[in-house]
Amino acid sequence: MTHNVTLTLTRFSEPDDLLENVLAHLAAQRGATGEILFIEQSTGSPLEAAAVANDRWSVRTIRKRLPGLSAARNLSLAEATHDRVLFCDSDALADPGWASAMNDAFDGPDVAVVGSRILPHWTRRPPILAASHVVRDQLSLYDLGEDTIEARRVVGAGFGVDRSLFASEMYFDEDLGRRDGRLFGGEESDLCARVRAAGGRVIYAGQARVEHVIQPERHSTRWILKRLYYAGLGRATVKGQPSPSRKPGLADWLLLPVILPPYALGWLRGKYGG
């Protein structure tokens, strides 16, 4: 069965050339049709997103400054034309079959949330810390292989929801998620936990691939340690335990003295510091 979908992304401050590339990849999706909904938050000159429209994909832009990524995603859910809403980060390049593979995964019973396989698109030589599965999680990478399997959560660089299912849970907690200068997260995990508690299914679709562009500043040890701190803070805020996407490997254990302190500091602050 063919379903129309809404592909959506938001831009806070990302450069035009990166956004144009992301939009072009969305407009090149095959095996699915619908709309591209672009939430433009930049205060600079608006991007002409409509230039990528074609006979498969219409393009609609909403220009509005919002308090954070979760608010932008909630606006997308409210404004989307179609119930299947696929979220792509403004620095993620979707494979041409991404939307179609996501649609296929949604066709299972009670599937409310679907996550993508997210691979790195390095802009510099990968940092040593990126050998750790835990650090790769903080870079929004998510690789559980090529199969379609049940999952606990999804990762924000590429995922989707069917808002017609478990409608009362189809929102993002606006106390979570990234804001300007604050590398907070946890909003997707919170959504998945609520949907699963309500009886819905969360699926990882290994054939639905996106490449996450790892921008130069995210190769730095400073950025990675800051992101680990906020990851711990977010996990404690949603009252969860650390949950890496894969079992720790040798690199995780070797790098533990570097990656554990900032995460633990954020978790302790979130749990006990308010």
Side-chain angles (χ1 to χ4, degrees), residues 47-97:
L47 183 71
E48 293 298 327
V52 304
N54 55 44
D55 59 352
R56 296 187 307 277
W57 299 101
S58 63
V59 179
R60 183 158 50 105
T61 297
I62 298 175
R63 187 171 174 82
K64 187 175 184 179
R65 193 70 167 184
L66 295 159
L69 180 56
S70 290
R73 287 174 171 168
N74 284 334
L75 178 61
S76 294
L77 287 174
E79 293 287 340
T81 301
H82 308 290
D83 282 332
R84 290 183 177 180
V85 183
L86 309 187
F87 295 90
C88 182
D89 268 4
S90 53
D91 55 3
L93 306 176
D95 181 86

Side-chain angles (χ1 to χ4, degrees), residues 92 98 115-120 136 139-144 154-159 204-206 208-213:
W98 174 65
S116 308
R117 185 184 186 194
I118 304 168
L119 304 173
R136 291 173 78 88
L139 293 169
S140 297
L141 304 177
Y142 195 45
D143 185 0
L144 303 181
V154 298
V155 173
F159 71 104
Y204 164 86
R209 296 183 296 272
V210 299
E211 288 189 5
H212 190 208
V213 179

Side-chain angles (χ1 to χ4, degrees), residues 101 144 169 188 204 229 248 252 268 270:
L144 303 181
E169 305 301 337
E188 302 99 357
Y204 164 86
Y229 168 81
D252 292 290
L268 289 169

Side-chain angles (χ1 to χ4, degrees), residues 196-209:
R196 290 172 65 231
R201 295 170 66 203
V202 177
I203 295 293
Y204 164 86
Q207 295 297 314
R209 296 183 296 272

